[in-house]
Every structure is written in structure tokens, then in C-alpha cells.
Amino acid sequence: MSITRFTRAVRRLGLSLACLGLLVSAFSACSGGGSPGGEDPSVPMIYAATAAGLSVSADGGVTWVTYDYSNTGYFDCDALNDVLVAGGAVFVATQSGGLEISKDACSTWVNYPYYSGGTTCIGSSCVYGALVDGTRVYVATNGGVSVGSLSDSYISWTTYNQATNGLASDGVYNGYKDGSRLYAATWQGLSISTDGGTTWSAPASSPTVEANGTVLDVWASGNTIYAATYG
């Protein structure tokens, strides 16, 4: 089972450490052998989410190409929270422009924003990251967890939130999937779903957090859960 989780970048640094630490080669199994755009599998592709767009290096960091609004016309927001390469696609989480997806090695992009009254749009235009499991895409947003299918030419999203589905908070920083269990690290605690996100509940015993209950990240293996908390 190859699961790629969503992870929140440290925006104050302007660079996603997860990109540099993980996107060198770790996602090759998820994307079917090699990252999009890589011609030589021995030379790592590096993707960096920055405050000024997406920077990509095809030669291990020697030279970089930057993708932003000025040269793509697609990014509605150049301040990025995270980048993920999985399932043969590149996913870019933006601070206020929604989710950007490229299936052709960054040549073209499809933007998925939030719009008021939309029933199949993403939960919020503030996106923290994404998780890919097969063809399923789970997106951590400021409006809940949005779920869609990579098989769709244009993805229709179903968003699970606090009011309808029991998430601890609509603000979801991170998540992880272990078997049938989906974990969400939210502003107000940890939530767990065993039905793909339709319903959520808190663990039997909550992790130690500050008064506001913020959980920044989560990872799990079997019955062992690791929660990164604020405080």
C-alpha cells in the first residue's frame, strides 16, 4: 500500500521543508516510476513550495524553474503552503487561490478554487496540503476535508466539515491515511474517520494540547498515533 499524506509547509520560511526532504525520490512509487518531467531517474527532481510560486529543479538543485502567475497564468495565488507529487500529477496548495493540479509535468495547470454557493467546489481557497491514495485525493482546507477522484477530467469535490460530518474543526492542517482509517489534524483537535470522511469522531483520549486544542500534524501505524500539537 502506497499512501502519500498531506503536510503543511512552514510558511514563515517561505519554503516547504517537506519538498526538499521528501520530493527527491520518495514519491516515485506513487506516481508510477519517477516524478513528472524527470528524464534521468538517477537525477532527482526537486519541487519547492515558496512564497513566490513553485520552484522545480530537474538537475538535483543546480538550476531552477519557477512557476507563478506571471509565467503560467494559472496560479491565482503565488504564496504556496505545500507541494505534492503523486499519482502522476503535481499538486500545489495555495494560501488563497485554491488547489492547483498539473498532469503534464507543470506545462498546464487546473485550478480548483472555492466559490460561494458551490456544491462541488473545494472546501476553501486556503489549502494546506493534499493526500493521494490510488485515484482518491484528500485535501486539507480551511473549510474541511475535500475528497475527489483523479479519474475525473475535472474533479468534483465532496467536502466534509464540522457541522455536517463531525470534524473537530473546519480548519484542517494535515492528515494521514492508514488502511481504512483517515486522520485529520485540525485547529481544535484530532479527528478520525473509518468511512472515507463521511463521519468523524475524536479518539478515546485526546492528545495533550494547549487550550485552543490545535493539532498541526498526525501520523499513525496500527494502534499507534503520533500527533504534533501546538503547545
Side-chain angles (χ1 to χ4, degrees):
M1 178 180 64
S2 58
I3 301 295
T4 302
R5 68 180 177 85
F6 40 67
T7 179
R8 179 171 177 260
V10 183
R11 293 196 300 276
R12 292 178 182 176
L13 297 179
L15 180 66
S16 172
L17 301 182
C19 303
L20 299 180
L22 296 177
L23 291 183
V24 173
S25 61
F27 294 122
S28 59
C30 297
S31 58
S35 300
E39 297 179 359
D40 183 353
S42 67
V43 179
M45 292 283 291
I46 304 175
Y47 298 78
T50 80
L54 175 67
S55 292
V56 181
S57 175
D59 52 18
V62 177
T63 60
W64 295 84
V65 175
T66 297
Y67 299 89
D68 58 18
Y69 181 79
S70 65
N71 61 26
T72 67
Y74 290 95
F75 286 17
D76 287 345
C77 173
D78 288 339
L80 310 184
N81 288 329
D82 200 12
V83 58
L84 168 69
V85 180
V90 181
F91 303 81
V92 173
T94 78
Q95 177 61 21
S96 60
L99 180 70
E100 303 278 353
I101 300 178
S102 175
K103 296 182 179 180
D104 56 9
C106 301
S107 295
T108 60
W109 296 85
V110 177
N111 174 245
Y112 294 95
Y114 168 81
Y115 49 91
S116 180
T119 58
T120 60
C121 64
I122 207 163
S124 170
S125 286
C126 177
V127 178
Y128 294 112
L131 176 156
V132 174
D133 181 13
T135 60
R136 301 291 285 174
V137 185
Y138 302 84
V139 184
T141 82
N142 201 30
V145 176
S146 296
V147 182
S149 174
L150 276 177
S151 299
D152 297 339
S153 57
Y154 187 83
I155 301 174
S156 294
W157 302 94
T158 299
T159 297
Y160 303 108
N161 57 32
Q162 183 179 36
T164 304
N165 309 100
L167 266 174
S169 169
D170 285 346
V172 181
Y173 280 122
N174 267 309
Y176 189 78
K177 192 170 186 293
D178 182 37
S180 62
R181 287 179 174 264
L182 184 63
Y183 299 86
T186 84
W187 293 1
Q188 296 179 326
L190 180 65
S191 291
I192 302 174
S193 175
T194 57
D195 55 13
T198 302
T199 59
W200 296 83
S201 61
S205 178
S206 298
T208 301
V209 295
E210 278 196 345
N212 62 4
T214 300
V215 177
L216 298 173
D217 203 356
V218 60
W219 189 87
S221 178
N223 290 326
T224 304
I225 304 172
Y226 301 87
T229 68
Y230 185 80

